[in-house]
Amino acid sequence: MFNDKTILITGGTGSFGKKCVETLVTRYKPKKLIIFSRDELKQFEMSHTFNWDNTPCIRYHIGDVRDKERLYRSFDGVDYVIHAAAMKQVPAAEYNPFEAIKTNILGAQNIINVAIDKGVKKVLALSTDKAASPINLYGATKLCSDKLFIAGNSYGKPRDTSFAVVRYGNVVGSRGSVIPFFRKLAAEGKVNLPVTDPRMTRFWITLEQGVDFVLGCMERMVGGELFVPKLPSMNIMDLAKAICPQGQPETVGIRPGEKIHEVMITKDDARNTLEFDDHYLIKPEFKFFEDRFHESGGKPVSEDFEYNSCDNKWQLSIAELQEMIGTL
């Protein structure tokens, strides 16, 4: 699917973007890979690994999803867009709410409009478990973004532009996540690692799994889907013990906008959810999707189904967490 195609990744200098580029150039032969992001330093650093000499299809575009005019220029001739750009830090979004809205909501609207106008075939947007029943602004902006991308299919249909969303949990070892933070503290000799609440659980996915799932969803999507992978969960106390077995975690209290447990599919979404072997799919509710949406292979979940990190049957042990961390 990706051979001889032009693919653009927004926020492409992040952890996901770099791993996605590595995967695409290893498995496929894209015509062009465009990294669209606003940080020239990160692009410069990324170009040490992926450049015209060893990756001739690579292109680096400085730009912001808030800038519609720049998107118009960058989307010229693009076949597929993977939208990974976002303001993602919960405290930063709480303290800078207008900026989060400009990037996560208005930026999503810009991508939808420009993709349709430029004839992009498929757009897949990355979401987060915090978008399900959100209690913080980051989650609320991503829920709004998800709704925009799903509804974007009604605008894109006449020009054959399709939109879908992938929602998954915390990425193991990604920039700004808890594992690098805990490991840094442990390396400095701190044994009482700070945990917000001993009951806290989270969905967990590796970077490789996230990229594989996104690329697979890009291939199978027809437009209107919200894909959710089946993932293991972990307890924050177990994670602290996996990194510092000799220590006793120190409870410091929940941060503003933080949940004890995360949800990826709410009970209200259950009536539109199909279960597959390795993922769930939340169907669009609108009737105008019926002539383009296919349900092959999926089984409806029960009406009271909820996919949350606390009740998830797949829980990682301390040993499994140590094995996963050891591969980073």
Side-chain angles (χ1 to χ4, degrees), residues 108 112 127 131 140-155 163 165 167 226 269 272 282-283 285-286 289:
I112 292 164
S127 186
T141 60
K142 291 303 287 184
L143 174 61
C144 186
S145 171
D146 294 352
K147 297 290 187 182
L148 287 173
F149 278 106
I150 299 303
N153 287 278
S154 62
Y155 296 94
F163 301 90
V165 175
R167 176 186 293 169
L226 196 157
D269 283 323
N272 295 312
I282 303 176
K283 300 185 295 181
E285 294 190 78
F286 301 103
F289 286 100

Side-chain angles (χ1 to χ4, degrees), residues 129-179:
D129 47 11
K130 294 172 181 61
S133 297
I135 65 167
N136 55 58
L137 186 71
Y138 168 54
T141 60
K142 291 303 287 184
L143 174 61
C144 186
S145 171
D146 294 352
K147 297 290 187 182
L148 287 173
F149 278 106
I150 299 303
N153 287 278
S154 62
Y155 296 94
K157 184 177 178 180
R159 300 194 182 188
D160 203 28
T161 300
S162 300
F163 301 90
V165 175
V166 166
R167 176 186 293 169
Y168 54 62
N170 292 35
V171 178
V172 178
S174 64
R175 189 184 64 219
S177 69
V178 69
I179 287 181

Side-chain angles (χ1 to χ4, degrees), residues 9-26:
I9 306 172
T10 70
T13 56
S15 302
F16 174 88
K18 288 186 283 190
K19 177 57 68 172
C20 189
V21 168
E22 177 186 325
T23 302
L24 284 168
V25 298
T26 300

